[in-house]
Amino acid sequence: MKRAESPNDLPPGRSDTDGVESGTTARWLLVLPACIVLGIFLAGAWNYRWISDDGFIHLRIVRQIEAGHGPVFNAGERVEASTSPAWTWLLTAGDVLLPLPLEWLAVIAGIALSVAGLAMAMLGAATLAQTGGRSRGLFPLGGLVLAVLPAMWLNASMGLENGLAFAWLGACAWRLARWANGTRSLPVGTAALIGAGALVRPEFILVSIPLLAATVGFEAAPRRLRSAVRTALAAFAIPVAYELFRMGYYASLTPNSGIAKEAGRSFWSAGWKYLHGTVDPYWLWVPLVIALVAGYAPLLHDLVTRQRHRAIAFVLACFTAGVLDALFIVRVGGDFYHARLLLPALFLLLAPIALVSFRKQYLGSLLVLPWAVVALVSLRSPDAQPKGPFTHPNPVTIEDHFAFMGGLPLRWFDGRGIYFIFKKIPAIPVPGRDPSVATLGIGATGYALGPHVYIQDMLGLGDAFGARLRLTHRGLLVGHEKPLPAPWVAAKLIAPGSAIRAEDLTTTDPFIIPIDDAGNEPFEDRVADARAALECGAIRELQDAIASPLTAKRFLSNLLAAPRLWRLRVPPEPRDARAAFCEESTPPI
């Protein structure tokens, strides 16, 4: 009999639970373990509910879209401060349609999507578990590991795209498992889903490619090429279209954060430290060894024995994609937030064995239970806390974050002038940037002050120019190693003729390592060099690309210039930038 591809195609009398004994008891044995796992995960994620400062960056962009300024961080500057366009637009749609405060929408959506992602991963694993014959139920090996992990609870909300990432990964695993259980071509919708990874996070292209590659070669020879072309077109049509939009709209090849964090460069030492910070507090090597020996080994044995070639390709693709994603994150140095960017790789590695058949070949998987109990009640990392530097135990709303922001906005912000980290500067703003606030943490501050206040990101995530400063050394905070030197802050925000003091524009944060080299040059001269450099060569071209009115001609110009402007790097010391980008005939300013 021809094997069906999905439950909709199954012959009469067959169901998805064919590998499990029939009857009410058998159905409970199938459903109950998954429900318990999902309940544990939901309770942990809700207990750890919060929004990070970076989460508010997305919320500010939502407010900019709703104000008619487009998907930008500052009105009048086309800068892609969000790493996940899919998450930004999902929040925007939810804010329009649902009667929830935007902060709570982000938290609830993140948790709901995380739980849904784990549920779909277990559905996919249940499909694979049918291959070994009849059993008395399913054991949630991989699902339990993910559900009891405090790092997963912490990252389920955060206001970032983590929940969407888990949902996307779970949906891909589920749909591919259904494909692997049949004989038909990969559905166009499934191909489009898998290809959309780059819209969730840019590095998920490293996940999409192995998953799609696993589906190639299972067609009859006359149709193979046509099927591969159809799959590629379905998978990458939307991501390619968005990339062309990104190039024309933002004049960049990647989100601005990828430039600021120098995602194309290696920082292995920090990456290994990040990996240890993810694995060691939870003794993760214990469940991973159990997963390999008691989950992957018998599963692959079953699949090989029964000649389930599609399913073998799917399992190996998940494993390969997880390893590739983890290696990329380690290579670039990890992230500022605990475990965040390694959890998708862990999710992928555990997805094929999120549920395993409750048969003697898999009895070794029960060894994960003691670890799970210990992890649930005692294994914690000091970095995996929802409150972080905040006084509120679960900071969700902007009011919960005010203590971290130096008090309520009205206590330090009067609606006019220039502010440097909650302190007003006695200077005249440049036209169009009154009021403006220069700060290190741009999320909560930017969201609280609203879309019409110009926020100067001192670390480059929301500033196209700051992101393109040349990285001179690696710092203590990975991805936050380009603090904007004071002369550039003055040149960008303060009108010529104002009295300027370097100490008014300099942070004393011990984690921020300066990247400029003032020497003995007077501060006023450095500001003059910065103002001159901003009007020269490729720096001026960058400013025009992101700030000029977006006409068809500008879009095309940006499209062509995007690769070059994406590679642009500016010396952090203004005199060096002026020498590099300005002609000798440039008049002094």
Side-chain angles (χ1 to χ4, degrees):
M1 180 183 294
K2 181 180 177 181
R3 187 169 63 251
E5 178 188 17
S6 69
N8 294 331
D9 305 315
L10 291 172
R14 262 187 90 185
S15 72
D16 258 350
T17 60
D18 239 19
V20 183
E21 288 186 345
S22 59
T24 303
T25 301
R27 284 193 292 270
W28 273 109
L29 288 173
L30 175 69
V31 174
L32 187 60
C35 290
I36 293 173
V37 164
L38 293 176
I40 292 172
F41 186 31
L42 176 60
W46 180 253
N47 186 51
Y48 271 50
R49 64 194 181 276
W50 75 304
I51 291 184
S52 65
D53 188 74
D54 283 5
F56 279 103
I57 294 177
H58 292 82
L59 306 193
R60 176 176 166 89
I61 297 170
V62 170
R63 290 291 184 243
Q64 294 287 15
I65 294 172
E66 294 171 345
H69 301 150
V72 301
F73 186 74
N74 280 314
E77 285 188 350
R78 293 184 295 274
V79 178
E80 189 178 15
S82 168
T83 308
S84 176
W87 178 238
T88 298
W89 287 103
L90 182 65
L91 286 177
T92 303
D95 195 44
V96 171
L97 298 174
L98 300 175
L100 286 173
L102 185 54
E103 301 99 312
W104 279 107
L105 172 65
V107 167
I108 293 172
I111 294 175
L113 288 167
S114 297
V115 174
L118 182 55
M120 288 186 285
M122 289 194 289
L123 280 174
T127 301
L128 290 180
Q130 298 174 33
T131 61
R134 300 173 69 84
S135 73
R136 294 186 177 277
L138 297 172
F139 177 70
L141 172 55
L144 183 61
V145 174
L146 293 170
V148 302
L149 202 59
M152 286 289 294
W153 307 340
L154 180 76
N155 284 273
S157 51
M158 286 185 73
L160 296 169
E161 74 286 343
N162 306 332
L164 181 60
F166 297 140
W168 177 75
L169 292 169
C172 288
W174 175 41
R175 295 301 302 174
L176 276 178
R178 287 164 63 95
W179 165 83
N181 203 37
T183 58
R184 297 182 181 177
S185 302
L186 185 72
V188 170
T190 301
L193 170 71
I194 298 171
L199 300 180
V200 179
R201 281 199 62 84
E203 72 269 16
F204 282 174
I205 188 68
L206 298 175
V207 174
S208 296
I209 291 176
L211 295 185
L212 288 168
T215 69
V216 176
F218 288 98
E219 295 286 352
R223 299 173 50 196
R224 191 171 298 159
L225 179 60
R226 183 174 61 185
S227 177
V229 171
R230 185 200 64 165
T231 297
L233 288 175
F236 296 114
I238 295 177
V240 168
Y242 184 80
E243 181 63 18
L244 293 175
F245 165 78
R246 172 184 282 145
M247 294 169 67
Y249 190 80
Y250 298 110
S252 178
L253 300 183
T254 64
N256 197 63
S257 56
I259 304 174
K261 297 181 178 183
E262 296 291 357
R265 296 177 61 172
S266 300
F267 195 8
W268 288 101
S269 60
W272 285 116
K273 182 178 179 181
Y274 187 68
L275 178 64
H276 279 289
T278 300
V279 172
D280 294 351
Y282 312 110
W283 306 349
L284 266 178
W285 58 271
V286 173
L288 287 176
V289 169
I290 295 171
L292 286 172
V293 175
Y296 267 95
L299 176 61
L300 286 172
H301 179 269
D302 283 345
L303 297 178
V304 171
T305 301
R306 297 170 66 87
Q307 298 184 12
R308 300 290 300 277
H309 301 299
R310 287 190 175 205
I312 294 169
F314 161 63
V315 172
L316 295 179
C318 284
F319 188 88
T320 301
V323 171
L324 284 176
D325 188 53
L327 281 175
F328 174 79
I329 297 305
V330 171
R331 175 184 173 273
V332 301
D335 186 51
F336 174 69
Y337 289 111
H338 170 68
R340 183 169 94 90
L341 296 187
L342 282 174
L343 291 177
L346 181 66
F347 192 102
L348 275 167
L349 292 173
L350 295 174
I353 54 169
L355 289 171
V356 296
S357 183
F358 203 70
R359 293 183 288 115
K360 63 180 180 179
Q361 296 96 317
Y362 296 89
L363 287 181
S365 62
L366 295 175
L367 293 173
V368 82
L369 285 173
W371 172 87
V373 173
V374 175
L376 189 62
V377 300
S378 66
L379 294 183
R380 298 292 184 269
S381 167
D383 298 319
Q385 300 297 326
K387 58 185 179 182
F390 308 106
T391 56
H392 194 284
N394 294 104
V396 172
T397 66
I398 195 62
E399 289 79 12
D400 299 336
H401 285 247
F402 281 159
F404 179 58
M405 293 169 53
L408 294 171
L410 292 180
R411 292 182 183 173
W412 57 269
F413 180 78
D414 63 18
R416 297 289 301 275
I418 303 169
Y419 300 80
F420 185 84
I421 311 182
F422 317 132
K423 177 180 64 177
K424 192 167 186 177
I425 305 300
I428 301 173
V430 298
R433 292 184 180 172
D434 184 7
S436 57
V437 177
T439 184
L440 297 171
I442 62 173
T445 301
Y447 181 72
L449 296 179
H452 298 284
V453 176
Y454 184 87
I455 304 295
Q456 174 60 60
D457 184 2
M458 295 291 294
L459 297 175
L461 301 181
D463 177 27
F465 174 79
R468 287 167 172 80
L469 290 177
R470 184 178 298 157
L471 183 63
T472 59
H473 56 265
R474 304 312 304 235
L476 299 175
L477 298 180
V478 174
H480 298 74
E481 299 148 313
K482 298 181 180 181
L484 190 65
W488 294 110
V489 180
K492 294 190 69 179
L493 302 183
I494 298 176
S498 295
I500 308 171
R501 298 189 309 166
E503 53 267 31
D504 289 335
L505 302 172
T506 304
T507 178
T508 58
D509 191 315
F511 291 100
I512 303 301
I513 301 175
I515 59 175
D516 51 335
D517 179 22
N520 296 320
E521 186 176 359
F523 185 68
E524 294 78 5
D525 293 347
R526 298 176 68 208
V527 174
D529 286 337
R531 287 198 173 111
L534 288 172
E535 299 299 324
C536 293
I539 301 178
R540 179 69 264 168
E541 184 181 2
L542 173 67
Q543 305 299 319
D544 291 340
I546 65 172
S548 297
L550 188 65
T551 63
K553 182 178 179 181
R554 169 52 61 188
F555 187 92
L556 180 59
S557 176
N558 285 358
L559 191 70
L560 298 175
R564 180 166 44 81
L565 294 178
W566 177 72
R567 293 191 301 268
L568 172 66
R569 294 298 182 271
V570 179
E573 181 54 43
R575 70 166 113 61
D576 298 332
R578 184 171 185 171
F581 291 96
C582 297
E583 298 178 355
E584 293 183 2
S585 58
T586 301
I589 299 178

